[in-house]
Amino acid sequence: MASSSSSPGATPVRAGAGPVAEASSRAAGSVRIDKWLWAARFFKTRGLAQNAIENGRVLVEGERVKAARALRVGERVVVRIGDVARELFVRGLSETRGPAPVAQQLYQETAESVALREAARERRGLEREPAATIRGRPTKRERRQLERARDGT
């Protein structure tokens, strides 16, 4: 049996080495934008975050980016989900998804963005839901009334 330390092609094993340690040492001050959006809980999966980035719904410093772009603390990010756009400043970086209170520490939303979101929420509350007037299939009596109105009798 040959020992692993004496083989010519073996690399030395360091304590604490692994994918997490390598990722943190490789980019100490940056994280992929798709991972950050997922960790900050804007999207439920990284795949959804990547789709949003590819479709131009995520802007960094006002420009479209790719999913692998490195995000740094202090950068301005605009995330459009549905009809609401959120403008954020990156306050922290994380590659792992944690609890919501921790995720909220990763960014700071601008006052304008919060005001626009609140105004959109108020508008939605005041507008009548179109589906509320639809009651489903007409009753026999309503059907006969519709037929009479259509035939003109």
Side-chain angles (χ1 to χ4, degrees):
M1 295 190 138
S3 67
S4 61
S5 62
S6 65
S7 62
T11 58
V13 177
R14 291 176 295 152
V20 175
E22 290 174 16
S24 63
S25 65
R26 181 177 58 234
S30 64
V31 171
R32 284 176 56 117
I33 181 90
D34 60 337
K35 282 187 180 183
W36 186 85
L37 288 168
W38 169 73
R41 295 183 164 261
F42 287 104
F43 297 98
K44 196 165 189 160
T45 65
R46 274 187 61 199
L48 290 174
Q50 289 169 348
N51 287 341
I53 293 166
E54 289 169 8
N55 293 327
R57 293 191 297 261
V58 177
L59 306 174
V60 177
E61 300 295 343
E63 296 181 6
R64 287 182 72 159
V65 294
K66 293 185 177 181
R69 186 204 189 269
L71 187 67
R72 292 175 180 77
V73 174
E75 289 187 307
R76 185 176 62 90
V77 178
V78 176
V79 181
R80 198 166 32 92
I81 302 173
D83 60 344
V84 177
R86 300 176 95 177
E87 186 175 347
L88 323 158
F89 285 101
V90 178
R91 292 177 52 197
L93 301 174
S94 176
E95 288 187 343
T96 58
R97 188 174 172 101
V102 174
Q104 290 171 350
Q105 300 293 319
L106 298 177
Y107 61 90
Q108 179 177 1
E109 191 170 2
T110 63
E112 297 168 351
S113 176
V114 172
L116 288 173
R117 261 191 323 115
E118 292 297 321
R121 192 181 80 184
E122 297 247 347
R123 276 195 313 272
R124 282 193 307 269
L126 296 175
E127 293 174 359
R128 194 163 174 203
E129 178 64 33
T133 59
I134 301 172
R135 294 190 323 252
R137 194 170 165 180
T139 64
K140 189 173 189 177
R141 182 178 181 187
E142 292 169 339
R143 182 183 53 80
R144 287 181 177 161
Q145 289 172 346
L146 287 170
E147 286 176 358
R148 281 192 214 110
R150 188 175 42 224
D151 295 339
T153 57

PDB file of all heavy atoms in Angstrom, residues 39-41 94 96-106:
ATOM      1  N   ALA A  39     -30.276  34.313  -1.588  1.00  0.00           N
ATOM      2  CA  ALA A  39     -29.965  34.391  -0.156  1.00  0.00           C
ATOM      3  C   ALA A  39     -30.740  35.525   0.513  1.00  0.00           C
ATOM      4  O   ALA A  39     -31.143  35.401   1.670  1.00  0.00           O
ATOM      5  CB  ALA A  39     -28.464  34.584   0.049  1.00  0.00           C
ATOM      6  N   ALA A  40     -30.975  36.617  -0.217  1.00  0.00           N
ATOM      7  CA  ALA A  40     -31.714  37.757   0.331  1.00  0.00           C
ATOM      8  C   ALA A  40     -33.225  37.545   0.234  1.00  0.00           C
ATOM      9  O   ALA A  40     -33.993  38.428   0.591  1.00  0.00           O
ATOM     10  CB  ALA A  40     -31.316  39.039  -0.397  1.00  0.00           C
ATOM     11  N   ARG A  41     -33.639  36.377  -0.258  1.00  0.00           N
ATOM     12  CA  ARG A  41     -35.033  35.946  -0.302  1.00  0.00           C
ATOM     13  C   ARG A  41     -35.919  36.761  -1.239  1.00  0.00           C
ATOM     14  O   ARG A  41     -37.101  36.934  -0.993  1.00  0.00           O
ATOM     15  CB  ARG A  41     -35.640  35.912   1.103  1.00  0.00           C
ATOM     16  CG  ARG A  41     -34.970  34.881   1.976  1.00  0.00           C
ATOM     17  CD  ARG A  41     -35.624  34.791   3.327  1.00  0.00           C
ATOM     18  NE  ARG A  41     -35.215  33.558   3.973  1.00  0.00           N
ATOM     19  CZ  ARG A  41     -35.945  32.458   4.000  1.00  0.00           C
ATOM     20  NH1 ARG A  41     -37.116  32.426   3.430  1.00  0.00           N
ATOM     21  NH2 ARG A  41     -35.495  31.388   4.601  1.00  0.00           N
ATOM     22  N   SER A  94     -23.980  37.293   1.126  1.00  0.00           N
ATOM     23  CA  SER A  94     -24.149  35.939   1.632  1.00  0.00           C
ATOM     24  C   SER A  94     -24.395  35.005   0.466  1.00  0.00           C
ATOM     25  O   SER A  94     -25.096  35.350  -0.476  1.00  0.00           O
ATOM     26  CB  SER A  94     -25.321  35.871   2.602  1.00  0.00           C
ATOM     27  OG  SER A  94     -25.535  34.542   3.021  1.00  0.00           O
ATOM     28  N   THR A  96     -25.366  31.838   1.323  1.00  0.00           N
ATOM     29  CA  THR A  96     -26.274  30.851   1.906  1.00  0.00           C
ATOM     30  C   THR A  96     -27.580  31.523   2.292  1.00  0.00           C
ATOM     31  O   THR A  96     -27.595  32.664   2.739  1.00  0.00           O
ATOM     32  CB  THR A  96     -25.649  30.196   3.146  1.00  0.00           C
ATOM     33  OG1 THR A  96     -25.335  31.216   4.093  1.00  0.00           O
ATOM     34  CG2 THR A  96     -24.414  29.412   2.784  1.00  0.00           C
ATOM     35  N   ARG A  97     -28.660  30.784   2.150  1.00  0.00           N
ATOM     36  CA  ARG A  97     -29.986  31.297   2.467  1.00  0.00           C
ATOM     37  C   ARG A  97     -30.253  31.050   3.942  1.00  0.00           C
ATOM     38  O   ARG A  97     -30.183  29.935   4.423  1.00  0.00           O
ATOM     39  CB  ARG A  97     -31.012  30.576   1.598  1.00  0.00           C
ATOM     40  CG  ARG A  97     -32.397  31.132   1.667  1.00  0.00           C
ATOM     41  CD  ARG A  97     -33.239  30.393   0.643  1.00  0.00           C
ATOM     42  NE  ARG A  97     -34.626  30.707   0.730  1.00  0.00           N
ATOM     43  CZ  ARG A  97     -35.258  31.546  -0.079  1.00  0.00           C
ATOM     44  NH1 ARG A  97     -34.583  32.151  -1.034  1.00  0.00           N
ATOM     45  NH2 ARG A  97     -36.542  31.773   0.046  1.00  0.00           N
ATOM     46  N   GLY A  98     -30.560  32.112   4.654  1.00  0.00           N
ATOM     47  CA  GLY A  98     -30.831  32.000   6.079  1.00  0.00           C
ATOM     48  C   GLY A  98     -32.234  32.469   6.398  1.00  0.00           C
ATOM     49  O   GLY A  98     -33.071  32.636   5.507  1.00  0.00           O
ATOM     50  N   PRO A  99     -32.515  32.708   7.666  1.00  0.00           N
ATOM     51  CA  PRO A  99     -33.844  33.180   8.044  1.00  0.00           C
ATOM     52  C   PRO A  99     -34.120  34.582   7.510  1.00  0.00           C
ATOM     53  O   PRO A  99     -33.189  35.348   7.222  1.00  0.00           O
ATOM     54  CB  PRO A  99     -33.812  33.170   9.574  1.00  0.00           C
ATOM     55  CG  PRO A  99     -32.416  32.910   9.977  1.00  0.00           C
ATOM     56  CD  PRO A  99     -31.646  32.453   8.791  1.00  0.00           C
ATOM     57  N   ALA A 100     -35.387  34.920   7.386  1.00  0.00           N
ATOM     58  CA  ALA A 100     -35.792  36.203   6.801  1.00  0.00           C
ATOM     59  C   ALA A 100     -35.190  37.408   7.519  1.00  0.00           C
ATOM     60  O   ALA A 100     -34.738  38.351   6.862  1.00  0.00           O
ATOM     61  CB  ALA A 100     -37.316  36.299   6.743  1.00  0.00           C
ATOM     62  N   PRO A 101     -35.172  37.446   8.861  1.00  0.00           N
ATOM     63  CA  PRO A 101     -34.557  38.615   9.515  1.00  0.00           C
ATOM     64  C   PRO A 101     -33.091  38.810   9.141  1.00  0.00           C
ATOM     65  O   PRO A 101     -32.622  39.936   9.008  1.00  0.00           O
ATOM     66  CB  PRO A 101     -34.710  38.314  11.006  1.00  0.00           C
ATOM     67  CG  PRO A 101     -35.860  37.375  11.093  1.00  0.00           C
ATOM     68  CD  PRO A 101     -35.797  36.552   9.842  1.00  0.00           C
ATOM     69  N   VAL A 102     -32.372  37.716   8.953  1.00  0.00           N
ATOM     70  CA  VAL A 102     -30.958  37.809   8.551  1.00  0.00           C
ATOM     71  C   VAL A 102     -30.878  38.275   7.100  1.00  0.00           C
ATOM     72  O   VAL A 102     -30.037  39.104   6.751  1.00  0.00           O
ATOM     73  CB  VAL A 102     -30.258  36.447   8.740  1.00  0.00           C
ATOM     74  CG1 VAL A 102     -28.844  36.487   8.182  1.00  0.00           C
ATOM     75  CG2 VAL A 102     -30.256  36.059  10.198  1.00  0.00           C
ATOM     76  N   ALA A 103     -31.770  37.766   6.245  1.00  0.00           N
ATOM     77  CA  ALA A 103     -31.772  38.149   4.833  1.00  0.00           C
ATOM     78  C   ALA A 103     -32.062  39.638   4.673  1.00  0.00           C
ATOM     79  O   ALA A 103     -31.506  40.293   3.794  1.00  0.00           O
ATOM     80  CB  ALA A 103     -32.802  37.322   4.071  1.00  0.00           C
ATOM     81  N   GLN A 104     -32.911  40.183   5.519  1.00  0.00           N
ATOM     82  CA  GLN A 104     -33.239  41.606   5.423  1.00  0.00           C
ATOM     83  C   GLN A 104     -32.060  42.499   5.797  1.00  0.00           C
ATOM     84  O   GLN A 104     -32.036  43.672   5.432  1.00  0.00           O
ATOM     85  CB  GLN A 104     -34.445  41.929   6.308  1.00  0.00           C
ATOM     86  CG  GLN A 104     -35.722  41.331   5.772  1.00  0.00           C
ATOM     87  CD  GLN A 104     -36.878  41.447   6.747  1.00  0.00           C
ATOM     88  OE1 GLN A 104     -36.689  41.806   7.905  1.00  0.00           O
ATOM     89  NE2 GLN A 104     -38.069  41.150   6.274  1.00  0.00           N
ATOM     90  N   GLN A 105     -31.086  41.955   6.486  1.00  0.00           N
ATOM     91  CA  GLN A 105     -29.890  42.717   6.838  1.00  0.00           C
ATOM     92  C   GLN A 105     -28.941  42.864   5.649  1.00  0.00           C
ATOM     93  O   GLN A 105     -28.013  43.666   5.704  1.00  0.00           O
ATOM     94  CB  GLN A 105     -29.142  42.017   7.987  1.00  0.00           C
ATOM     95  CG  GLN A 105     -29.949  41.860   9.240  1.00  0.00           C
ATOM     96  CD  GLN A 105     -30.248  43.184   9.901  1.00  0.00           C
ATOM     97  OE1 GLN A 105     -29.392  44.059   9.958  1.00  0.00           O
ATOM     98  NE2 GLN A 105     -31.467  43.342  10.373  1.00  0.00           N
ATOM     99  N   LEU A 106     -29.174  42.103   4.580  1.00  0.00           N
ATOM    100  CA  LEU A 106     -28.277  42.129   3.428  1.00  0.00           C
ATOM    101  C   LEU A 106     -28.497  43.328   2.521  1.00  0.00           C
ATOM    102  O   LEU A 106     -27.676  43.605   1.658  1.00  0.00           O
ATOM    103  CB  LEU A 106     -28.438  40.843   2.604  1.00  0.00           C
ATOM    104  CG  LEU A 106     -28.082  39.537   3.309  1.00  0.00           C
ATOM    105  CD1 LEU A 106     -28.362  38.361   2.396  1.00  0.00           C
ATOM    106  CD2 LEU A 106     -26.634  39.551   3.758  1.00  0.00           C
TER     107      LEU A 106
END
